[in-house]
Amino acid sequence: MRRKVAYFILGMGVLFLYLIKPRFKNKKKLRKFLKWNYAHRGLHGGDRAENTLSAFKAAVNNGYAIEMDARSCKDRVVIHHDEDLKRSVGVDMRLDELDFASLGNYYLFGGKETIPSLEEALEVVDSKVPILLEIKSEKNHFKNASDVQAIMDKYEGPYLIESFHPLVLLWYRLHRPEIIRGQLSAGNVEEGFFTSTAMALLLFNIISRPDFIAYEKKGGLSPCLLYLLGTPSFVHTLRSHSERKWYFNVSIFEDYLP
């Protein structure tokens, strides 16, 4: 009986590792990206709002790589974290209800800047620092990934793709396997119990087979195991260096300078 229990536990452990295992073929390509600190939504603060051209310029000028959020409005891929304008503008409207021209009427966080397009953000960065591009997606995951990559195909600078949604990364796995991709996750994803638990444990890696992971700063069992197995790991979002756990390679930071 004890032997059967031991075999069962061993089998479950092997299955767990199989489910969360990453893709290892791009580890050499990833090395150059692991030398940087990544400014979360650009180097924002004061007059520079998050995910704006001024925040990206500041990051470039100070020698930081940039994490930014791409999502679709009605007719363009834009840079904005939320799916609506409630927090950033105070207007209860979704981005996918508005075209890019209309978004130019809304000023972010009471400032002077509006939501930029992905092309505008890329022009500002101009290949000077790496970009960690998160694709935000609540529906039409394959289309969102395809629309983003159609733009990134014209960009010559260094970049990584990441997303919380494994179907976005599945599109890359199926259609653009040469692009380095990362699975974002956290322990408090606002989904149902089973989905949030699976995401916290990185079980959806079986779908995305990421080259790296990006996990929230409180960490957990899965990111620790993957680090020990040699998986490059990013941590989000640090607000001091002391928050970084030993099993994370790269910092995505905000509200302080590393």
Side-chain angles (χ1 to χ4, degrees), residues 92-163:
D92 189 9
M93 294 191 71
R94 293 176 54 89
L95 262 72
D96 57 15
E97 298 173 338
L98 298 165
D99 59 25
F100 185 65
S102 299
L103 289 176
N105 297 318
Y106 298 99
Y107 294 93
L108 296 168
F109 300 100
K112 298 179 180 179
E113 294 188 86
T114 58
I115 294 174
S117 67
L118 174 55
E119 292 95 333
E120 289 172 332
L122 296 178
E123 185 176 353
V124 166
V125 179
D126 192 28
S127 306
K128 294 183 177 73
V129 300
I131 293 173
L132 181 58
L133 185 63
E134 178 183 349
I135 301 178
K136 294 288 188 181
S137 184
E138 289 80 36
K139 57 184 179 180
N140 301 324
H141 310 299
F142 274 30
K143 182 180 185 305
N144 291 337
S146 178
D147 289 347
V148 168
Q149 193 54 43
I151 297 169
M152 298 307 297
D153 281 339
K154 303 171 187 176
Y155 183 64
E156 297 181 356
Y159 69 93
L160 302 170
I161 295 293
E162 64 175 2
S163 183

Side-chain angles (χ1 to χ4, degrees), residues 163-166 169 181-185 202 205 208 210 212-214:
S163 183
F164 273 99
H165 208 295
L169 301 180
R181 59 182 185 264
Q183 180 64 62
L184 267 162
S185 195
L202 293 168
N205 282 8
S208 59
F212 66 94
I213 62 166

Side-chain angles (χ1 to χ4, degrees), residues 233-244:
S233 58
F234 292 63
V235 56
H236 66 87
T237 302
L238 297 185
R239 288 179 169 81
S240 73
H241 179 74
S242 62
E243 293 180 325
R244 177 169 158 178

Side-chain angles (χ1 to χ4, degrees), residues 46-101:
D47 295 333
R48 301 188 305 271
E50 64 179 54
N51 276 329
T52 57
L53 300 183
S54 65
F56 302 148
K57 288 177 184 176
V60 170
N61 292 338
N62 285 274
Y64 293 112
I66 300 169
E67 186 270 353
M68 63 175 73
D69 305 293
R71 63 165 61 250
S72 295
C73 67
K74 213 169 186 178
D75 59 348
R76 295 281 290 276
V77 177
V78 298
I79 302 298
H80 195 256
H81 179 270
D82 302 352
E83 61 186 299
D84 55 49
L85 297 175
K86 291 179 185 177
R87 182 177 66 91
S88 60
V89 178
V91 175
D92 189 9
M93 294 191 71
R94 293 176 54 89
L95 262 72
D96 57 15
E97 298 173 338
L98 298 165
D99 59 25
F100 185 65

Side-chain angles (χ1 to χ4, degrees), residues 212-225:
F212 66 94
I213 62 166
Y215 208 89
E216 69 169 328
K217 60 189 175 184
K218 76 175 184 180
L221 172 64
S222 291
C224 180
L225 284 176

